[in-house]
Amino acid sequence: MYYLGIDLGGTNIAAGIVDEEMKLVYKTSIPTEAKTGVENVIARMADAAKAAMEGFGITIQEIKSIGVGTPGAVEPGTGVVIYAANLGFKHTPLGKLLGEYFPGTPVRVENDANVAAWAEAKCGAAVGTANSVTVTLGTGVGGGMIINGQLYSGFNGMGAELGHMVIHENGRPCGCGRKGCWEAYASVSGLIATTKEHMEVNPESLMWKIAGSLEKVNGLTSFDAMRKGDEEAKKVVDKYLDSVACGVTDLCNMLQPEILCIGGGISKEGDTLLKPVQEYVMKEMFARFNDTHTEIKIAKLGNDAGIIGAALLGA
Ligand SMILES: [Zn+2]
């Protein structure tokens, strides 16, 4: 038997088949065409699922369950997406509507960041633990937490918004309306903002040469310039890593997860990111004098975490 996972994004719908050893054995993706409306998006999700089964050469009879990771908040246990602006979902019974294409097969729906955390806990960097946190450093800062073996998303499905805890009171404005959120500093957008701030007051910095112009600054500009010996770039990276580590320390103090893993684009920096964060956390975290404390790791499943975690919602 197999599990089918759908990673629903604003641009693409990825669908994949996961076997009973929790290995992703097949994946495919089609454009979401979000503008064509909710009904069509759900029909396309069904198409992507069928394409994955066909591509791998199995039928729905061999699928134990279907899981979906979607942007937005999901009402716990009901498969209803309360709100997902870019897909037009508003109290949309996504699980039920998708299930109509596959009568008799259970469909489960969860928030996409939670699903990625579920994947890391089931078969990724946090495998074998009952308490773990996955932080995703991307355009925003997303995350999910597993508590006592269960995904935790609060009583209303809006929990685990790790990016929106404040690390600088009255700091940078955040998309959520608050100021000084972790996301405003630790996301790629946050890193780009810090990079630009430093470039503007340092016209000599190598970052100018690497980026070409302020508009072209990206998440790699400061890291690349630092590797070439630029001191201003090192200040940017240090500031950035401190921000990441500050939030990670808060999460460790709050939850004492056995493993906290960091994923998303910036996690590709590997040890350049991990070592300084580990050092900071070991200096500051409450449990530092304890025999046991959180282990900080890089997430393992990369972009596939979404499909795998969705598939394994039913495992
Ligand atoms: Zn925020």
Side-chain angles (χ1 to χ4, degrees), residues 161 163-166 172-184:
E161 284 297 337
H164 301 286
M165 53 183 186
V166 167
R172 268 183 203 158
C174 177
C176 77
R178 292 185 91 189
K179 282 182 181 171
C181 284
W182 193 27
E183 174 166 297

Side-chain angles (χ1 to χ4, degrees), residues 5 7 49 73 81 115 118 125-126 130 133 139 148 177 199 217 238 262 271 286:
D7 183 9
V81 183
V115 153
W118 186 242
V133 174
T139 317
N148 297 331
M199 284 168 70
V217 169
D238 285 348
I262 303 174
D271 279 352
F286 195 74

Side-chain angles (χ1 to χ4, degrees), residues 110-111 113-115 117-118 144-147 149-154 313:
E110 271 290 348
N111 165 270
N114 289 350
V115 153
W118 186 242
M145 47 178 89
I146 314 302
I147 298 177
Q150 306 277 322
L151 250 178
Y152 184 82
S153 59
L313 285 172

